[in-house]
Amino acid sequence: MSDSSTPKMNYTTPEAVGLDPAVLRDQLFELWNRKDLQTLHWTALQGFSKLSEPLEALLTILEACPGKQRGRSHTLGQHILMEFQSWMKESPQVTLSSLSEQQAMALQQRALGLLTDTQPNFVESLINIYQLNSLDPAILRLHIKRLQALHCYKEAAVLAIKLKLQKELDMEEMCVPLILQNKLPLAESFVIGHNHLEQRLVTLLDLWCHPSFSVEEISMRFPRISLTKQCMSQIQPKLLTKQVFRLLEKFNIDQGLCPNALHKRRLDSLRFLMYKRFVDKSMTEENWSDHVQYVVADDLELQIHLVEMLVRYCGLQKAAQWSLRYNIPRNRLPSGVWETQQSLPPGLQQIGWSGSAQTEQWIPSRSHCQKFYQVPLTKDKVHFVDSPESLQRCRNIVLKECDIVGIDMEWQPTFGCISTQQVALIQLSVLDQVFLLDLCANGFCQHPDTISFIRSLFSERNILKLGYGMSGDLKCLLATWHQLLEEPLRMEGMLDLLNVHQKIQRRKVNRTQNGPKEVLVGEDSAEKGLSLLVQQVLGKPLDKTEQMSNWEKRPLRISQIRYAVADAYCLLDVYSVLSRNPAYFGLPADLRSISSSQSEKSADNKQKEKHAKQMKQAHGKEECQGAQRISPPRSDTEKGLLCGEKPSEDTPALPPQQLRVVCDNMLQGLGRYLRCLGVDVVMLENTDDHRVAAKLAQAEGRFILTCGQPFQSLRSQVGEGRCLSLDCSEKARDQAVRVLRHFNVQLTPSDIFSRCQACNSDQYAAVPRKDMVRMLKQKGFLQHQDNTNYTQQQEEEKLGDILPPSVTPEIPRYVQCQWAPLSGLDPDTLTFPGGAPVQLHTVPSLPSCRGYRSSMSAPDVARCSGKALTLAVFSQCFRTSYT
């Protein structure tokens, strides 16, 4: 009799006996649980060979495999897939193409149902084994939409990328849920390589930068997505604008497609300019006017913002002058501006221009000379190069008569509105003169002789080229001359003094072992970058007033020319001093041998990690004065600091409770670490302006902890020594050690965890077991879904297994904190007078604690270190406190 059904293919060798897939699955599962991976490997290979239909059997096994297990980096299913792929290499006859179309389709449909795992190896393996790319795109789209309906947005995106279905799917439906879940990088991966999708993603983010945008409207489309505080903080105009400009550069998209982000960036730039001119007072009137006109341009809304800010910062007269300049409609003017316009005499109705470029003297005032570095050259030694003829004279001197050249470049500040600026001026300093290559001169920049000279200069190995932070200069060179992208610039004989400076700074830190890598406080801390190097080597800093000038405006002012010359010529003077006595600065005899700091930093970090690992192994579980160390100290000084031994410093010892600081939003990790040690810390939110730190410091008498550029502006708003700058590249623990050492804070074991990381409170509440059961029950955290008759008595019996009634949870003896009375707890809302709720959802489920009964006594469970249920102690922010 003939079998009417579709014939089944047999892949196995004659010795195969048709092993039951369920039997093989059980064998593999048992070996997996025993973590016997070697035996599992051989059992899998032998078992696959005994299966009569390996491809179908594999799906049967995978469908019954458990999901991700705690303590395992991947699942049993992933491991079986890897073993199956290894076996397939030895069994080339096992392919989907050997099956009938109907059989292949059935297996592919089953394989699709397993594609909910986001592990790349798992997804790719299934796609390759069952050739899922060959399926009808309509079937694949339907499966993607099914995953989305199940709220598996990440899995849907990963699968769509693997199957290359981006063009078949709606970009917003795929990417918006990812962005709401703080998975923008995955959304970028979804659109990358598809120009129209890249543009749609960027324009979508730009729409969210509009002032009227509300994230609640978007979240209503996806009600099942719970927006965390972290996600909400990322979906803010300020941060979204940064993302938009980053993607504009990454995808090479025209800025005109993003008017909202551009407007937001220009508005922020305008606020910055107002601060620099009228608060920090570090920008001249003429520079400020040039930049304001560039930022505001012809945008009426920005012009109105400018007038409104001027009213607040400097009064009605200046606001009226600028409103007349832009001819702002009367109905859009702030109160009082129109009346001031009418009262202005004709001579004051226009903003005056000083014409300082013609009247300013080359030699500055005596006070300026006493305070800042001065170039030892007269004005006739400075040559403008703006034509082929003048370039030839420059070329003859620089390439033929000199062996050392200082190089610097200037460009128009755009305040982030343009990713990369074009160079406006190149300064070349030699022994007794300076050449200024004016790239804004008509036709000079793109002249073949100009580009040829730049190539010859940078490629000449016999001429040492000095610079400071040359990577930024070279980036702008590439934006100026696209020919350098087609035929890359060959660079020989380069020495970046930034690398030399960083080596000097590292030696200084290693020598003093005190304070962060940047200068902390005092008179010396005002300088940074090249100006700081010049001050350290030559004794006086650079005058950086003209740094943020309009370098494309001609003619240049005398002060601009003087600044440009000094920036290039000081490189020669610094190199000369360092070369004469390198040992004094901790440098090798040959300065050219100093490599980029990145490789040195990498080596340093590796050495630190290796040393920390060795210390950790050596110390093991050793305790320090009864309290476990926060982390293994790397030196005796840090060991003493963490263990409460007094360092040898003149500063009086200070308990951590008396140190009050405010952490900038770039140092939130440090803030949480310091709170763990008992320090009173206020942390800025991601959306807060840095100036909020200064207001808090002034109002509450706190020290400011910050890093990077904000330090310069913040230190000017608080008293001397009230603002500290830290190294952002360091880990929070290392930053904390520096802060503690700087203030001579003396820790004791009782300070550890004496303050809540989340809310900064040092008050805790001891909650009896009976009250805890009632609160958990009241909020639905002790509901038993399988048995509706599960009573409160049974809940208490379960708790009694862990904490017998005779045992009262002990207060941890080493926590130095205040205890809040339970009388302040509202029994209905479960909140304290300050409005902080008891966060019951952070209490681990009761069944998870049962495993501790056999190994711990009841009091130990109540205070076990972050592993089990904590019923006894709650912080006033009312997260569970694991002590």
Side-chain angles (χ1 to χ4, degrees), residues 453-462 465 474 478 483-484 487-494:
F453 170 67
I454 294 298
R455 288 189 181 278
S456 300
L457 174 61
F458 279 87
S459 62
E460 179 54 65
R461 66 174 56 193
N462 294 323
K465 276 79 66 177
L474 295 175
L478 297 179
Q483 301 93 320
L484 302 182
E487 184 182 348
L489 186 66
R490 189 165 62 91
M491 301 177 63
E492 300 281 353
M494 311 293 295

mmCIF file of all heavy atoms in Angstrom, residues 453-462 465 474 478 483-484 487-494:
data_model
loop_
_atom_site.group_PDB
_atom_site.id
_atom_site.type_symbol
_atom_site.label_atom_id
_atom_site.label_comp_id
_atom_site.label_asym_id
_atom_site.label_seq_id
_atom_site.Cartn_x
_atom_site.Cartn_y
_atom_site.Cartn_z
ATOM 1 N N PHE A 453 51.033 74.387 -0.392
ATOM 2 C CA PHE A 453 51.916 74.795 0.710
ATOM 3 C C PHE A 453 51.563 74.047 1.999
ATOM 4 O O PHE A 453 52.452 73.590 2.731
ATOM 5 C CB PHE A 453 51.805 76.309 0.915
ATOM 6 C CG PHE A 453 52.480 76.791 2.170
ATOM 7 C CD1 PHE A 453 53.861 76.726 2.314
ATOM 8 C CD2 PHE A 453 51.741 77.294 3.226
ATOM 9 C CE1 PHE A 453 54.487 77.162 3.471
ATOM 10 C CE2 PHE A 453 52.354 77.732 4.395
ATOM 11 C CZ PHE A 453 53.737 77.665 4.511
ATOM 12 N N ILE A 454 50.271 73.918 2.281
ATOM 13 C CA ILE A 454 49.855 73.204 3.499
ATOM 14 C C ILE A 454 50.317 71.753 3.443
ATOM 15 O O ILE A 454 50.832 71.203 4.437
ATOM 16 C CB ILE A 454 48.324 73.291 3.667
ATOM 17 C CG1 ILE A 454 47.887 74.731 3.928
ATOM 18 C CG2 ILE A 454 47.846 72.383 4.798
ATOM 19 C CD1 ILE A 454 48.449 75.337 5.192
ATOM 20 N N ARG A 455 50.166 71.112 2.295
ATOM 21 C CA ARG A 455 50.618 69.718 2.161
ATOM 22 C C ARG A 455 52.138 69.621 2.371
ATOM 23 O O ARG A 455 52.622 68.721 3.066
ATOM 24 C CB ARG A 455 50.242 69.171 0.790
ATOM 25 C CG ARG A 455 48.761 68.894 0.595
ATOM 26 C CD ARG A 455 48.514 68.154 -0.713
ATOM 27 N NE ARG A 455 47.120 67.888 -0.951
ATOM 28 C CZ ARG A 455 46.450 66.858 -0.424
ATOM 29 N NH1 ARG A 455 47.075 66.005 0.365
ATOM 30 N NH2 ARG A 455 45.167 66.685 -0.704
ATOM 31 N N SER A 456 52.876 70.536 1.776
ATOM 32 C CA SER A 456 54.339 70.489 1.895
ATOM 33 C C SER A 456 54.775 70.705 3.329
ATOM 34 O O SER A 456 55.690 70.029 3.832
ATOM 35 C CB SER A 456 54.964 71.553 0.982
ATOM 36 O OG SER A 456 54.609 71.335 -0.369
ATOM 37 N N LEU A 457 54.134 71.659 4.027
ATOM 38 C CA LEU A 457 54.527 71.964 5.407
ATOM 39 C C LEU A 457 54.281 70.776 6.328
ATOM 40 O O LEU A 457 55.169 70.384 7.105
ATOM 41 C CB LEU A 457 53.743 73.183 5.892
ATOM 42 C CG LEU A 457 53.931 73.559 7.373
ATOM 43 C CD1 LEU A 457 55.382 73.899 7.656
ATOM 44 C CD2 LEU A 457 53.015 74.705 7.752
ATOM 45 N N PHE A 458 53.103 70.163 6.255
ATOM 46 C CA PHE A 458 52.765 69.084 7.183
ATOM 47 C C PHE A 458 53.508 67.787 6.869
ATOM 48 O O PHE A 458 53.675 66.946 7.746
ATOM 49 C CB PHE A 458 51.248 68.843 7.181
ATOM 50 C CG PHE A 458 50.485 69.814 8.036
ATOM 51 C CD1 PHE A 458 50.070 71.031 7.533
ATOM 52 C CD2 PHE A 458 50.194 69.522 9.360
ATOM 53 C CE1 PHE A 458 49.378 71.933 8.315
ATOM 54 C CE2 PHE A 458 49.507 70.417 10.161
ATOM 55 C CZ PHE A 458 49.103 71.632 9.638
ATOM 56 N N SER A 459 53.939 67.625 5.652
ATOM 57 C CA SER A 459 54.612 66.364 5.280
ATOM 58 C C SER A 459 56.131 66.450 5.403
ATOM 59 O O SER A 459 56.815 65.419 5.263
ATOM 60 C CB SER A 459 54.237 65.982 3.843
ATOM 61 O OG SER A 459 54.669 66.974 2.930
ATOM 62 N N GLU A 460 56.681 67.648 5.661
ATOM 63 C CA GLU A 460 58.128 67.807 5.759
ATOM 64 C C GLU A 460 58.635 67.298 7.112
ATOM 65 O O GLU A 460 58.414 67.915 8.149
ATOM 66 C CB GLU A 460 58.501 69.283 5.569
ATOM 67 C CG GLU A 460 59.983 69.573 5.666
ATOM 68 C CD GLU A 460 60.815 68.722 4.729
ATOM 69 O OE1 GLU A 460 60.655 68.872 3.497
ATOM 70 O OE2 GLU A 460 61.606 67.880 5.237
ATOM 71 N N ARG A 461 59.332 66.173 7.084
ATOM 72 C CA ARG A 461 59.763 65.547 8.340
ATOM 73 C C ARG A 461 60.916 66.292 8.997
ATOM 74 O O ARG A 461 61.158 66.143 10.193
ATOM 75 C CB ARG A 461 60.145 64.091 8.101
ATOM 76 C CG ARG A 461 61.365 63.890 7.224
ATOM 77 C CD ARG A 461 61.746 62.413 7.178
ATOM 78 N NE ARG A 461 60.621 61.600 6.724
ATOM 79 C CZ ARG A 461 60.602 60.271 6.834
ATOM 80 N NH1 ARG A 461 61.623 59.633 7.397
ATOM 81 N NH2 ARG A 461 59.571 59.582 6.391
ATOM 82 N N ASN A 462 61.653 67.096 8.250
ATOM 83 C CA ASN A 462 62.793 67.820 8.821
ATOM 84 C C ASN A 462 62.377 69.105 9.526
ATOM 85 O O ASN A 462 63.235 69.784 10.099
ATOM 86 C CB ASN A 462 63.805 68.147 7.719
ATOM 87 C CG ASN A 462 64.444 66.885 7.152
ATOM 88 O OD1 ASN A 462 64.708 65.929 7.882
ATOM 89 N ND2 ASN A 462 64.683 66.878 5.842
ATOM 90 N N LYS A 465 56.826 70.587 13.700
ATOM 91 C CA LYS A 465 55.617 71.406 13.806
ATOM 92 C C LYS A 465 55.052 71.284 15.221
ATOM 93 O O LYS A 465 54.731 70.183 15.670
ATOM 94 C CB LYS A 465 54.552 70.957 12.799
ATOM 95 C CG LYS A 465 54.720 71.551 11.413
ATOM 96 C CD LYS A 465 55.785 70.871 10.585
ATOM 97 C CE LYS A 465 55.418 69.445 10.242
ATOM 98 N NZ LYS A 465 56.430 68.782 9.376
ATOM 99 N N LEU A 474 43.074 69.982 12.943
ATOM 100 C CA LEU A 474 43.069 69.156 11.736
ATOM 101 C C LEU A 474 41.651 68.841 11.280
ATOM 102 O O LEU A 474 41.379 68.756 10.083
ATOM 103 C CB LEU A 474 43.847 67.862 11.998
ATOM 104 C CG LEU A 474 45.342 68.056 12.272
ATOM 105 C CD1 LEU A 474 46.002 66.734 12.628
ATOM 106 C CD2 LEU A 474 46.026 68.677 11.062
ATOM 107 N N LEU A 478 40.102 69.728 7.506
ATOM 108 C CA LEU A 478 39.383 68.832 6.598
ATOM 109 C C LEU A 478 38.066 69.446 6.152
ATOM 110 O O LEU A 478 37.612 69.229 5.023
ATOM 111 C CB LEU A 478 39.133 67.482 7.280
ATOM 112 C CG LEU A 478 40.384 66.676 7.652
ATOM 113 C CD1 LEU A 478 39.997 65.379 8.342
ATOM 114 C CD2 LEU A 478 41.216 66.377 6.410
ATOM 115 N N GLN A 483 39.598 68.527 -0.448
ATOM 116 C CA GLN A 483 40.607 67.773 -1.183
ATOM 117 C C GLN A 483 41.429 66.892 -0.249
ATOM 118 O O GLN A 483 41.968 65.859 -0.664
ATOM 119 C CB GLN A 483 41.552 68.731 -1.930
ATOM 120 C CG GLN A 483 40.851 69.650 -2.919
ATOM 121 C CD GLN A 483 40.474 70.988 -2.332
ATOM 122 O OE1 GLN A 483 40.034 71.041 -1.179
ATOM 123 N NE2 GLN A 483 40.645 72.060 -3.102
ATOM 124 N N LEU A 484 41.503 67.310 1.024
ATOM 125 C CA LEU A 484 42.290 66.533 1.994
ATOM 126 C C LEU A 484 41.583 65.236 2.392
ATOM 127 O O LEU A 484 42.207 64.364 2.992
ATOM 128 C CB LEU A 484 42.570 67.381 3.239
ATOM 129 C CG LEU A 484 43.318 68.697 2.998
ATOM 130 C CD1 LEU A 484 43.582 69.420 4.317
ATOM 131 C CD2 LEU A 484 44.633 68.445 2.264
ATOM 132 N N GLU A 487 42.467 63.006 -0.974
ATOM 133 C CA GLU A 487 43.882 62.635 -0.871
ATOM 134 C C GLU A 487 44.366 63.032 0.513
ATOM 135 O O GLU A 487 44.700 64.187 0.755
ATOM 136 C CB GLU A 487 44.706 63.344 -1.951
ATOM 137 C CG GLU A 487 46.168 62.932 -1.957
ATOM 138 C CD GLU A 487 46.960 63.699 -3.007
ATOM 139 O OE1 GLU A 487 46.348 64.370 -3.853
ATOM 140 O OE2 GLU A 487 48.200 63.635 -2.950
ATOM 141 N N PRO A 488 44.374 62.103 1.474
ATOM 142 C CA PRO A 488 44.665 62.439 2.881
ATOM 143 C C PRO A 488 45.970 63.191 3.054
ATOM 144 O O PRO A 488 46.946 62.985 2.315
ATOM 145 C CB PRO A 488 44.709 61.066 3.559
ATOM 146 C CG PRO A 488 43.889 60.181 2.684
ATOM 147 C CD PRO A 488 44.097 60.668 1.281
ATOM 148 N N LEU A 489 45.976 64.066 4.049
ATOM 149 C CA LEU A 489 47.140 64.878 4.383
ATOM 150 C C LEU A 489 48.189 64.009 5.061
ATOM 151 O O LEU A 489 47.915 63.366 6.074
ATOM 152 C CB LEU A 489 46.716 66.023 5.302
ATOM 153 C CG LEU A 489 47.759 67.074 5.657
ATOM 154 C CD1 LEU A 489 48.165 67.866 4.426
ATOM 155 C CD2 LEU A 489 47.216 68.020 6.723
ATOM 156 N N ARG A 490 49.377 63.979 4.494
ATOM 157 C CA ARG A 490 50.471 63.209 5.092
ATOM 158 C C ARG A 490 51.151 64.074 6.145
ATOM 159 O O ARG A 490 51.523 65.219 5.875
ATOM 160 C CB ARG A 490 51.474 62.768 4.025
ATOM 161 C CG ARG A 490 52.528 61.786 4.533
ATOM 162 C CD ARG A 490 53.227 61.123 3.355
ATOM 163 N NE ARG A 490 53.920 62.097 2.533
ATOM 164 C CZ ARG A 490 55.200 62.464 2.702
ATOM 165 N NH1 ARG A 490 55.904 61.923 3.698
ATOM 166 N NH2 ARG A 490 55.761 63.333 1.906
ATOM 167 N N MET A 491 51.308 63.524 7.360
ATOM 168 C CA MET A 491 51.815 64.320 8.478
ATOM 169 C C MET A 491 53.094 63.698 9.019
ATOM 170 O O MET A 491 53.117 62.530 9.421
ATOM 171 C CB MET A 491 50.756 64.424 9.572
ATOM 172 C CG MET A 491 49.461 65.060 9.073
ATOM 173 S SD MET A 491 48.181 65.110 10.335
ATOM 174 C CE MET A 491 48.969 66.172 11.517
ATOM 175 N N GLU A 492 54.153 64.494 9.029
ATOM 176 C CA GLU A 492 55.451 64.064 9.549
ATOM 177 C C GLU A 492 55.993 65.170 10.459
ATOM 178 O O GLU A 492 55.757 66.357 10.234
ATOM 179 C CB GLU A 492 56.439 63.811 8.399
ATOM 180 C CG GLU A 492 56.003 62.743 7.410
ATOM 181 C CD GLU A 492 56.249 61.342 7.919
ATOM 182 O OE1 GLU A 492 56.882 61.209 8.989
ATOM 183 O OE2 GLU A 492 55.811 60.388 7.255
ATOM 184 N N GLY A 493 56.756 64.772 11.459
ATOM 185 C CA GLY A 493 57.427 65.749 12.310
ATOM 186 C C GLY A 493 56.481 66.598 13.136
ATOM 187 O O GLY A 493 56.702 67.811 13.281
ATOM 188 N N MET A 494 55.435 66.001 13.699
ATOM 189 C CA MET A 494 54.452 66.732 14.494
ATOM 190 C C MET A 494 54.700 66.485 15.989
ATOM 191 O O MET A 494 55.024 65.377 16.410
ATOM 192 C CB MET A 494 53.024 66.290 14.146
ATOM 193 C CG MET A 494 52.703 66.266 12.659
ATOM 194 S SD MET A 494 52.673 67.891 11.903
ATOM 195 C CE MET A 494 51.296 68.621 12.729
#
